[in-house]
Amino acid sequence: MKTIFLFLTFTISLFSWSQHIYGSISSGFLLNVNNNQAPSYIVNTFHQISLPWFWRQESYAFKNSVHTDLNFGYMITEQLGYELSFSYLKPNSVSDNFDFGQKIMSGAFFQSAAKLIFCVPLKKFDLYAKVGLNIVKGKMSYLQTIEDGNFNSLGTSTASLTYTYTSPTSLGYNGAIGVNVPVSKRCSFFTEVRYINQVFSPKNGKMTSFSYNGADLLANNDFQPYYAQIEFGTESEWLNYNSTDNSKPQKLYARSYALGGLDFTVGLKFKINLVCGKNHL
């Protein structure tokens, strides 16, 4: 017990108890991890019969994203602290144009993270590292439009279909290294490189728009869940699935979409409160 006490006393003596609270705003660009998967179906099989152009196996993935962050932190000492972050994450849409139509996959997400901060204060700047956990919540949309005379003997027709995909909150992790440079007593500029592990795996899909030659088919028809909704699951859940109960969503094989990778962030930090001692921003 005495040895443990001496060790703790020695460890504490290495820290400078200079405490402060801060807030910061930042934005960045994320290069998403390439999550190659075999193509699979992501729209209801109802469209295999009504409009087979909307029934194809897809393998789209988000390639990069932009984000805006609001961060709040507390430095317990000059070397150790923690931070809470809240971000709006917007992947760049994936657009696929073909001879008689277009497909667009898009998404918008809210991400929050809790991080530990390890800082090395130097004379003119601070070096730091962060590590923590993050969660994400949001939705994806998949828009398909076709314009072709092949499915209407009277001439060219236009059809549009949108599915929206949602999921419970998913967990990931993050790590970062960065440089913090003071520009005044209470304000500093920082830049950091992060690695984020995060995926979005839709659990549910729903047809949210369906039109044909300008007519709103979704509003003018009462589509039962089997013809307008999806439940995504594992292979054992969807393999050989066949249902005659139209009150339940259709089951399809689950896919995952990467929302993490290598990230480059810049921002401004503002010291909100000084507790004691000399502080580094």
Side-chain angles (χ1 to χ4, degrees):
M1 188 70 178
K2 184 178 179 180
T3 303
I4 295 175
F5 177 77
L6 291 174
F7 175 76
L8 290 175
T9 302
F10 173 75
T11 302
I12 292 172
S13 68
L14 297 177
F15 292 94
S16 174
W17 292 90
S18 178
Q19 305 170 358
H20 68 265
I21 299 170
Y22 67 84
S24 67
I25 55 175
S26 58
S27 62
F29 182 79
L30 174 67
L31 296 173
N32 291 104
V33 172
N34 186 12
N35 60 333
N36 291 322
Q37 300 171 88
S40 63
Y41 295 110
I42 61 174
V43 300
N44 200 291
T45 59
F46 164 69
H47 308 290
Q48 183 180 14
I49 301 171
S50 61
L51 288 170
W53 293 264
F54 290 153
W55 176 246
R56 295 182 180 180
Q57 295 190 39
E58 312 294 0
S59 59
Y60 299 130
F62 295 120
K63 295 182 179 180
N64 46 64
S65 308
V66 294
H67 60 87
T68 302
D69 319 305
L70 182 62
N71 314 295
F72 299 96
Y74 176 51
M75 295 302 297
I76 304 170
T77 72
E78 286 190 333
Q79 295 86 4
L80 181 66
Y82 60 85
E83 182 179 270
L84 298 177
S85 299
F86 306 91
S87 306
Y88 175 71
L89 180 65
K90 180 67 176 177
N92 289 329
S93 299
V94 178
S95 180
D96 184 12
N97 298 301
F98 48 97
D99 290 341
F100 53 89
Q102 184 182 47
K103 300 182 180 185
I104 300 175
M105 188 180 75
S106 60
F109 303 89
F110 291 96
Q111 188 177 61
S112 58
K115 313 166 193 175
L116 285 175
I117 306 171
F118 306 93
C119 184
V120 180
L122 300 175
K123 187 175 181 180
K124 294 185 178 181
F125 58 89
D126 298 339
L127 295 176
Y128 64 85
K130 299 178 182 178
V131 62
L133 298 175
N134 40 270
I135 58 175
V136 71
K137 180 74 173 179
K139 62 183 180 180
M140 277 176 39
S141 292
Y142 182 48
L143 168 66
Q144 300 179 83
T145 59
I146 53 176
E147 184 173 336
D148 188 28
N150 294 332
F151 58 92
N152 188 335
S153 61
L154 299 179
T156 300
S157 299
T158 301
S160 177
L161 173 69
T162 302
Y163 265 79
T164 299
Y165 307 96
T166 57
S167 173
T169 300
S170 60
L171 180 67
Y173 60 86
N174 64 83
I177 56 173
V179 178
N180 187 66
V181 182
V183 294
S184 71
K185 186 176 180 180
R186 292 185 177 270
C187 180
S188 62
F189 167 83
F190 68 91
T191 181
E192 62 186 43
V193 177
R194 298 189 290 177
Y195 178 79
I196 302 172
N197 178 279
Q198 188 83 74
V199 296
F200 177 75
S201 300
K203 297 298 182 184
N204 303 100
K206 185 177 181 179
M207 185 167 60
T208 52
S209 72
F210 187 25
S211 64
Y212 182 77
N213 283 343
D216 190 341
L217 300 183
L218 192 60
N220 298 326
N221 293 273
D222 183 19
F223 288 102
Q224 297 186 65
Y226 185 78
Y227 299 108
Q229 298 178 28
I230 300 169
E231 285 184 353
F232 293 98
T234 62
E235 183 175 1
S236 61
E237 292 177 295
W238 71 267
L239 192 61
N240 298 321
Y241 171 75
N242 185 18
S243 175
T244 57
D245 186 355
N246 294 337
S247 67
K248 295 181 180 180
Q250 224 175 89
K251 293 184 182 292
L252 291 178
Y253 185 56
R255 296 186 64 83
S256 294
Y257 299 87
L259 296 176
L262 192 61
D263 179 77
F264 304 90
T265 297
V266 295
L268 287 174
K269 183 186 294 185
F270 305 93
K271 192 176 295 185
I272 298 174
N273 182 39
L274 297 178
V275 179
C276 64
K278 182 179 178 181
N279 292 274
H280 286 264
L281 284 173

